[in-house]
mmCIF file of all heavy atoms in Angstrom:
data_model
loop_
_atom_site.group_PDB
_atom_site.id
_atom_site.type_symbol
_atom_site.label_atom_id
_atom_site.label_comp_id
_atom_site.label_asym_id
_atom_site.label_seq_id
_atom_site.Cartn_x
_atom_site.Cartn_y
_atom_site.Cartn_z
ATOM 1 N N LEU A 153 -0.773 -6.040 -14.434
ATOM 2 C CA LEU A 153 -0.492 -7.434 -14.817
ATOM 3 C C LEU A 153 0.963 -7.806 -14.492
ATOM 4 O O LEU A 153 1.229 -8.824 -13.838
ATOM 5 C CB LEU A 153 -0.763 -7.602 -16.313
ATOM 6 C CG LEU A 153 -0.641 -9.017 -16.845
ATOM 7 C CD1 LEU A 153 -1.886 -9.805 -16.453
ATOM 8 C CD2 LEU A 153 -0.489 -9.005 -18.364
ATOM 9 N N LEU A 154 1.903 -6.957 -14.921
ATOM 10 C CA LEU A 154 3.320 -7.273 -14.689
ATOM 11 C C LEU A 154 3.630 -7.311 -13.184
ATOM 12 O O LEU A 154 4.356 -8.187 -12.722
ATOM 13 C CB LEU A 154 4.217 -6.243 -15.374
ATOM 14 C CG LEU A 154 4.242 -6.278 -16.903
ATOM 15 C CD1 LEU A 154 5.233 -5.261 -17.442
ATOM 16 C CD2 LEU A 154 4.599 -7.671 -17.414
ATOM 17 N N ALA A 155 3.054 -6.367 -12.434
ATOM 18 C CA ALA A 155 3.303 -6.348 -10.988
ATOM 19 C C ALA A 155 2.735 -7.615 -10.349
ATOM 20 O O ALA A 155 3.379 -8.229 -9.488
ATOM 21 C CB ALA A 155 2.677 -5.108 -10.350
ATOM 22 N N ALA A 156 1.543 -8.023 -10.794
ATOM 23 C CA ALA A 156 0.926 -9.212 -10.204
ATOM 24 C C ALA A 156 1.782 -10.449 -10.474
ATOM 25 O O ALA A 156 1.990 -11.277 -9.589
ATOM 26 C CB ALA A 156 -0.483 -9.401 -10.762
ATOM 27 N N VAL A 157 2.307 -10.553 -11.698
ATOM 28 C CA VAL A 157 3.059 -11.764 -12.054
ATOM 29 C C VAL A 157 4.479 -11.730 -11.473
ATOM 30 O O VAL A 157 4.878 -12.617 -10.726
ATOM 31 C CB VAL A 157 3.108 -11.938 -13.587
ATOM 32 C CG1 VAL A 157 4.028 -13.092 -13.967
ATOM 33 C CG2 VAL A 157 1.702 -12.160 -14.123
ATOM 34 N N PHE A 158 5.230 -10.665 -11.814
ATOM 35 C CA PHE A 158 6.660 -10.690 -11.501
ATOM 36 C C PHE A 158 6.977 -10.268 -10.061
ATOM 37 O O PHE A 158 8.006 -10.650 -9.528
ATOM 38 C CB PHE A 158 7.437 -9.819 -12.488
ATOM 39 C CG PHE A 158 7.442 -10.400 -13.868
ATOM 40 C CD1 PHE A 158 6.602 -9.893 -14.844
ATOM 41 C CD2 PHE A 158 8.246 -11.491 -14.172
ATOM 42 C CE1 PHE A 158 6.572 -10.441 -16.110
ATOM 43 C CE2 PHE A 158 8.223 -12.052 -15.430
ATOM 44 C CZ PHE A 158 7.385 -11.531 -16.404
ATOM 45 N N ALA A 159 6.082 -9.446 -9.457
ATOM 46 C CA ALA A 159 6.385 -9.003 -8.097
ATOM 47 C C ALA A 159 5.627 -9.830 -7.064
ATOM 48 O O ALA A 159 6.219 -10.364 -6.138
ATOM 49 C CB ALA A 159 6.047 -7.528 -7.947
ATOM 50 N N LEU A 160 4.316 -9.959 -7.259
ATOM 51 C CA LEU A 160 3.521 -10.578 -6.201
ATOM 52 C C LEU A 160 3.518 -12.094 -6.298
ATOM 53 O O LEU A 160 3.559 -12.790 -5.292
ATOM 54 C CB LEU A 160 2.094 -10.030 -6.231
ATOM 55 C CG LEU A 160 2.003 -8.504 -6.128
ATOM 56 C CD1 LEU A 160 0.567 -8.042 -6.094
ATOM 57 C CD2 LEU A 160 2.757 -7.998 -4.909
ATOM 58 N N HIS A 161 3.480 -12.633 -7.541
ATOM 59 C CA HIS A 161 3.417 -14.095 -7.672
ATOM 60 C C HIS A 161 4.809 -14.724 -7.633
ATOM 61 O O HIS A 161 5.096 -15.577 -6.806
ATOM 62 C CB HIS A 161 2.680 -14.469 -8.952
ATOM 63 C CG HIS A 161 2.450 -15.944 -9.091
ATOM 64 N ND1 HIS A 161 1.593 -16.629 -8.259
ATOM 65 C CD2 HIS A 161 2.991 -16.851 -9.923
ATOM 66 C CE1 HIS A 161 1.611 -17.905 -8.589
ATOM 67 N NE2 HIS A 161 2.452 -18.069 -9.596
ATOM 68 N N LEU A 162 5.676 -14.274 -8.526
ATOM 69 C CA LEU A 162 7.004 -14.883 -8.591
ATOM 70 C C LEU A 162 7.982 -14.279 -7.575
ATOM 71 O O LEU A 162 8.944 -14.940 -7.187
ATOM 72 C CB LEU A 162 7.577 -14.720 -10.003
ATOM 73 C CG LEU A 162 6.791 -15.447 -11.100
ATOM 74 C CD1 LEU A 162 7.302 -15.050 -12.477
ATOM 75 C CD2 LEU A 162 6.909 -16.960 -10.924
ATOM 76 N N GLY A 163 7.705 -13.039 -7.180
ATOM 77 C CA GLY A 163 8.576 -12.402 -6.196
ATOM 78 C C GLY A 163 9.963 -12.067 -6.712
ATOM 79 O O GLY A 163 10.904 -11.941 -5.940
ATOM 80 N N TRP A 164 10.114 -11.901 -8.032
ATOM 81 C CA TRP A 164 11.437 -11.598 -8.587
ATOM 82 C C TRP A 164 11.809 -10.138 -8.442
ATOM 83 O O TRP A 164 12.984 -9.797 -8.341
ATOM 84 C CB TRP A 164 11.469 -11.956 -10.090
ATOM 85 C CG TRP A 164 11.386 -13.427 -10.354
ATOM 86 C CD1 TRP A 164 11.453 -14.436 -9.436
ATOM 87 C CD2 TRP A 164 11.210 -14.057 -11.627
ATOM 88 N NE1 TRP A 164 11.327 -15.647 -10.058
ATOM 89 C CE2 TRP A 164 11.182 -15.454 -11.409
ATOM 90 C CE3 TRP A 164 11.080 -13.579 -12.931
ATOM 91 C CZ2 TRP A 164 11.019 -16.378 -12.437
ATOM 92 C CZ3 TRP A 164 10.921 -14.496 -13.959
ATOM 93 C CH2 TRP A 164 10.897 -15.888 -13.712
ATOM 94 N N LEU A 165 10.791 -9.260 -8.490
ATOM 95 C CA LEU A 165 11.068 -7.826 -8.533
ATOM 96 C C LEU A 165 10.220 -7.109 -7.491
ATOM 97 O O LEU A 165 9.159 -7.599 -7.115
ATOM 98 C CB LEU A 165 10.716 -7.272 -9.924
ATOM 99 C CG LEU A 165 11.607 -7.748 -11.069
ATOM 100 C CD1 LEU A 165 10.931 -7.526 -12.401
ATOM 101 C CD2 LEU A 165 12.942 -7.026 -11.009
ATOM 102 N N PRO A 166 10.664 -5.932 -7.021
ATOM 103 C CA PRO A 166 9.821 -5.160 -6.089
ATOM 104 C C PRO A 166 8.539 -4.685 -6.771
ATOM 105 O O PRO A 166 8.557 -4.317 -7.953
ATOM 106 C CB PRO A 166 10.701 -3.988 -5.680
ATOM 107 C CG PRO A 166 11.870 -3.992 -6.581
ATOM 108 C CD PRO A 166 11.950 -5.288 -7.291
ATOM 109 N N ALA A 167 7.442 -4.693 -6.025
ATOM 110 C CA ALA A 167 6.144 -4.345 -6.603
ATOM 111 C C ALA A 167 6.019 -2.856 -6.875
ATOM 112 O O ALA A 167 5.368 -2.444 -7.831
ATOM 113 C CB ALA A 167 5.027 -4.807 -5.675
ATOM 114 N N THR A 168 6.615 -2.048 -6.017
ATOM 115 C CA THR A 168 6.564 -0.598 -6.202
ATOM 116 C C THR A 168 7.910 -0.021 -5.789
ATOM 117 O O THR A 168 8.761 -0.732 -5.259
ATOM 118 C CB THR A 168 5.494 0.067 -5.305
ATOM 119 O OG1 THR A 168 5.916 -0.054 -3.942
ATOM 120 C CG2 THR A 168 4.133 -0.590 -5.448
ATOM 121 N N ALA A 169 8.060 1.281 -6.017
ATOM 122 C CA ALA A 169 9.293 1.943 -5.589
ATOM 123 C C ALA A 169 9.084 2.655 -4.269
ATOM 124 O O ALA A 169 9.862 3.525 -3.905
ATOM 125 C CB ALA A 169 9.750 2.922 -6.661
ATOM 126 N N VAL A 170 8.022 2.305 -3.534
ATOM 127 C CA VAL A 170 7.708 3.023 -2.302
ATOM 128 C C VAL A 170 8.852 2.884 -1.297
ATOM 129 O O VAL A 170 9.386 1.798 -1.085
ATOM 130 C CB VAL A 170 6.363 2.540 -1.706
ATOM 131 C CG1 VAL A 170 6.477 1.170 -1.086
ATOM 132 C CG2 VAL A 170 5.839 3.519 -0.675
ATOM 133 N N GLY A 171 9.271 4.018 -0.747
ATOM 134 C CA GLY A 171 10.297 3.994 0.284
ATOM 135 C C GLY A 171 11.711 3.778 -0.206
ATOM 136 O O GLY A 171 12.632 3.723 0.589
ATOM 137 N N THR A 172 11.918 3.634 -1.524
ATOM 138 C CA THR A 172 13.282 3.457 -2.021
ATOM 139 C C THR A 172 13.586 4.573 -3.006
ATOM 140 O O THR A 172 12.734 4.928 -3.807
ATOM 141 C CB THR A 172 13.450 2.126 -2.775
ATOM 142 O OG1 THR A 172 12.251 1.878 -3.497
ATOM 143 C CG2 THR A 172 13.755 0.982 -1.857
ATOM 144 N N ALA A 173 14.790 5.107 -2.943
ATOM 145 C CA ALA A 173 15.182 6.095 -3.936
ATOM 146 C C ALA A 173 15.375 5.373 -5.260
ATOM 147 O O ALA A 173 15.928 4.273 -5.287
ATOM 148 C CB ALA A 173 16.472 6.776 -3.508
ATOM 149 N N VAL A 174 14.872 6.001 -6.347
ATOM 150 C CA VAL A 174 14.959 5.366 -7.658
ATOM 151 C C VAL A 174 16.415 5.104 -8.028
ATOM 152 O O VAL A 174 16.750 4.137 -8.696
ATOM 153 C CB VAL A 174 14.276 6.261 -8.710
ATOM 154 C CG1 VAL A 174 14.254 5.588 -10.065
ATOM 155 C CG2 VAL A 174 12.866 6.578 -8.271
ATOM 156 N N THR A 175 17.299 5.983 -7.526
ATOM 157 C CA THR A 175 18.718 5.825 -7.842
ATOM 158 C C THR A 175 19.348 4.716 -7.002
ATOM 159 O O THR A 175 20.326 4.115 -7.395
ATOM 160 C CB THR A 175 19.466 7.134 -7.559
ATOM 161 O OG1 THR A 175 18.953 7.666 -6.327
ATOM 162 C CG2 THR A 175 19.239 8.132 -8.656
ATOM 163 N N GLY A 176 18.768 4.466 -5.822
ATOM 164 C CA GLY A 176 19.395 3.538 -4.892
ATOM 165 C C GLY A 176 19.271 2.083 -5.296
ATOM 166 O O GLY A 176 20.196 1.293 -5.093
ATOM 167 N N ASP A 177 18.136 1.711 -5.870
ATOM 168 C CA ASP A 177 17.902 0.308 -6.143
ATOM 169 C C ASP A 177 17.363 0.160 -7.568
ATOM 170 O O ASP A 177 16.180 0.372 -7.816
ATOM 171 C CB ASP A 177 16.885 -0.232 -5.123
ATOM 172 C CG ASP A 177 16.633 -1.715 -5.326
ATOM 173 O OD1 ASP A 177 17.313 -2.317 -6.172
ATOM 174 O OD2 ASP A 177 15.749 -2.251 -4.638
ATOM 175 N N PRO A 178 18.235 -0.170 -8.525
ATOM 176 C CA PRO A 178 17.799 -0.239 -9.927
ATOM 177 C C PRO A 178 16.670 -1.253 -10.151
ATOM 178 O O PRO A 178 15.914 -1.127 -11.104
ATOM 179 C CB PRO A 178 19.058 -0.663 -10.676
ATOM 180 C CG PRO A 178 20.187 -0.418 -9.745
ATOM 181 C CD PRO A 178 19.645 -0.521 -8.355
ATOM 182 N N ALA A 179 16.531 -2.232 -9.248
ATOM 183 C CA ALA A 179 15.501 -3.254 -9.451
ATOM 184 C C ALA A 179 14.104 -2.649 -9.484
ATOM 185 O O ALA A 179 13.223 -3.141 -10.182
ATOM 186 C CB ALA A 179 15.584 -4.308 -8.340
ATOM 187 N N VAL A 180 13.905 -1.525 -8.737
ATOM 188 C CA VAL A 180 12.570 -0.934 -8.719
ATOM 189 C C VAL A 180 12.214 -0.324 -10.080
ATOM 190 O O VAL A 180 11.054 -0.054 -10.351
ATOM 191 C CB VAL A 180 12.410 0.148 -7.625
ATOM 192 C CG1 VAL A 180 12.683 -0.421 -6.252
ATOM 193 C CG2 VAL A 180 13.287 1.360 -7.895
ATOM 194 N N LEU A 181 13.242 -0.098 -10.920
ATOM 195 C CA LEU A 181 12.990 0.530 -12.217
ATOM 196 C C LEU A 181 12.502 -0.451 -13.269
ATOM 197 O O LEU A 181 11.919 -0.055 -14.274
ATOM 198 C CB LEU A 181 14.272 1.187 -12.726
ATOM 199 C CG LEU A 181 14.674 2.502 -12.076
ATOM 200 C CD1 LEU A 181 16.036 2.929 -12.581
ATOM 201 C CD2 LEU A 181 13.635 3.569 -12.399
ATOM 202 N N VAL A 182 12.761 -1.735 -13.052
ATOM 203 C CA VAL A 182 12.546 -2.715 -14.126
ATOM 204 C C VAL A 182 11.103 -2.726 -14.618
ATOM 205 O O VAL A 182 10.833 -2.563 -15.809
ATOM 206 C CB VAL A 182 12.983 -4.123 -13.668
ATOM 207 C CG1 VAL A 182 12.671 -5.146 -14.741
ATOM 208 C CG2 VAL A 182 14.463 -4.137 -13.336
ATOM 209 N N LEU A 183 10.158 -2.895 -13.701
ATOM 210 C CA LEU A 183 8.759 -2.981 -14.131
ATOM 211 C C LEU A 183 8.257 -1.679 -14.763
ATOM 212 O O LEU A 183 7.675 -1.723 -15.845
ATOM 213 C CB LEU A 183 7.869 -3.415 -12.965
ATOM 214 C CG LEU A 183 8.058 -4.881 -12.529
ATOM 215 C CD1 LEU A 183 7.176 -5.197 -11.329
ATOM 216 C CD2 LEU A 183 7.757 -5.824 -13.668
ATOM 217 N N PRO A 184 8.490 -0.506 -14.121
ATOM 218 C CA PRO A 184 8.032 0.714 -14.790
ATOM 219 C C PRO A 184 8.635 0.899 -16.182
ATOM 220 O O PRO A 184 7.942 1.304 -17.108
ATOM 221 C CB PRO A 184 8.480 1.833 -13.851
ATOM 222 C CG PRO A 184 8.852 1.204 -12.575
ATOM 223 C CD PRO A 184 8.988 -0.261 -12.777
ATOM 224 N N VAL A 185 9.928 0.584 -16.321
ATOM 225 C CA VAL A 185 10.568 0.775 -17.630
ATOM 226 C C VAL A 185 9.954 -0.183 -18.657
ATOM 227 O O VAL A 185 9.696 0.193 -19.806
ATOM 228 C CB VAL A 185 12.098 0.592 -17.524
ATOM 229 C CG1 VAL A 185 12.726 0.453 -18.893
ATOM 230 C CG2 VAL A 185 12.714 1.767 -16.781
ATOM 231 N N LEU A 186 9.686 -1.408 -18.248
ATOM 232 C CA LEU A 186 9.049 -2.357 -19.171
ATOM 233 C C LEU A 186 7.699 -1.831 -19.642
ATOM 234 O O LEU A 186 7.373 -1.884 -20.830
ATOM 235 C CB LEU A 186 8.854 -3.715 -18.487
ATOM 236 C CG LEU A 186 10.073 -4.620 -18.439
ATOM 237 C CD1 LEU A 186 9.717 -5.952 -17.786
ATOM 238 C CD2 LEU A 186 10.600 -4.866 -19.862
ATOM 239 N N VAL A 187 6.913 -1.321 -18.692
ATOM 240 C CA VAL A 187 5.589 -0.806 -19.052
ATOM 241 C C VAL A 187 5.722 0.379 -19.993
ATOM 242 O O VAL A 187 5.005 0.491 -20.987
ATOM 243 C CB VAL A 187 4.807 -0.403 -17.782
ATOM 244 C CG1 VAL A 187 3.489 0.249 -18.151
ATOM 245 C CG2 VAL A 187 4.564 -1.610 -16.900
ATOM 246 N N LEU A 188 6.678 1.274 -19.684
ATOM 247 C CA LEU A 188 6.853 2.461 -20.517
ATOM 248 C C LEU A 188 7.360 2.105 -21.905
ATOM 249 O O LEU A 188 7.065 2.784 -22.876
ATOM 250 C CB LEU A 188 7.837 3.431 -19.843
ATOM 251 C CG LEU A 188 7.299 4.189 -18.634
ATOM 252 C CD1 LEU A 188 8.391 5.030 -18.007
ATOM 253 C CD2 LEU A 188 6.138 5.083 -19.050
ATOM 254 N N THR A 189 8.158 1.055 -22.017
ATOM 255 C CA THR A 189 8.733 0.684 -23.307
ATOM 256 C C THR A 189 7.699 -0.026 -24.190
ATOM 257 O O THR A 189 7.744 0.092 -25.411
ATOM 258 C CB THR A 189 9.942 -0.260 -23.096
ATOM 259 O OG1 THR A 189 10.753 0.288 -22.078
ATOM 260 C CG2 THR A 189 10.742 -0.419 -24.359
ATOM 261 N N ALA A 190 6.779 -0.736 -23.569
ATOM 262 C CA ALA A 190 5.933 -1.675 -24.298
ATOM 263 C C ALA A 190 5.232 -1.071 -25.516
ATOM 264 O O ALA A 190 5.342 -1.595 -26.619
ATOM 265 C CB ALA A 190 4.910 -2.282 -23.342
ATOM 266 N N ARG A 191 4.528 0.031 -25.322
ATOM 267 C CA ARG A 191 3.758 0.550 -26.451
ATOM 268 C C ARG A 191 4.603 1.313 -27.459
ATOM 269 O O ARG A 191 4.450 1.087 -28.661
ATOM 270 C CB ARG A 191 2.591 1.389 -25.948
ATOM 271 C CG ARG A 191 1.541 0.519 -25.285
ATOM 272 C CD ARG A 191 0.411 1.323 -24.729
ATOM 273 N NE ARG A 191 -0.599 1.588 -25.735
ATOM 274 C CZ ARG A 191 -1.707 2.265 -25.467
ATOM 275 N NH1 ARG A 191 -1.907 2.747 -24.266
ATOM 276 N NH2 ARG A 191 -2.602 2.461 -26.404
ATOM 277 N N PRO A 192 5.495 2.204 -27.010
ATOM 278 C CA PRO A 192 6.320 2.904 -28.007
ATOM 279 C C PRO A 192 7.124 1.945 -28.879
ATOM 280 O O PRO A 192 7.322 2.195 -30.075
ATOM 281 C CB PRO A 192 7.252 3.761 -27.148
ATOM 282 C CG PRO A 192 6.537 3.945 -25.871
ATOM 283 C CD PRO A 192 5.735 2.710 -25.653
ATOM 284 N N VAL A 193 7.590 0.825 -28.326
ATOM 285 C CA VAL A 193 8.398 -0.098 -29.125
ATOM 286 C C VAL A 193 7.550 -0.644 -30.279
ATOM 287 O O VAL A 193 8.058 -0.895 -31.378
ATOM 288 C CB VAL A 193 8.982 -1.225 -28.238
ATOM 289 C CG1 VAL A 193 8.078 -2.417 -28.128
ATOM 290 C CG2 VAL A 193 10.341 -1.644 -28.736
ATOM 291 N N CYS A 194 6.278 -0.785 -30.068
ATOM 292 C CA CYS A 194 5.403 -1.293 -31.118
ATOM 293 C C CYS A 194 5.274 -0.292 -32.254
ATOM 294 O O CYS A 194 5.474 -0.637 -33.426
ATOM 295 C CB CYS A 194 4.022 -1.609 -30.549
ATOM 296 S SG CYS A 194 4.085 -2.843 -29.256
#
Side-chain angles (χ1 to χ4, degrees):
Chain A
L153 185 77
L154 290 183
V157 173
F158 291 102
L160 304 183
H161 186 68
L162 296 171
W164 292 351
L165 292 162
T168 68
V170 73
T172 37
V174 184
T175 41
D177 182 5
V180 301
L181 284 174
V182 176
L183 290 178
V185 166
L186 279 182
V187 175
L188 286 176
T189 314
R191 290 178 86 179
V193 89
C194 300

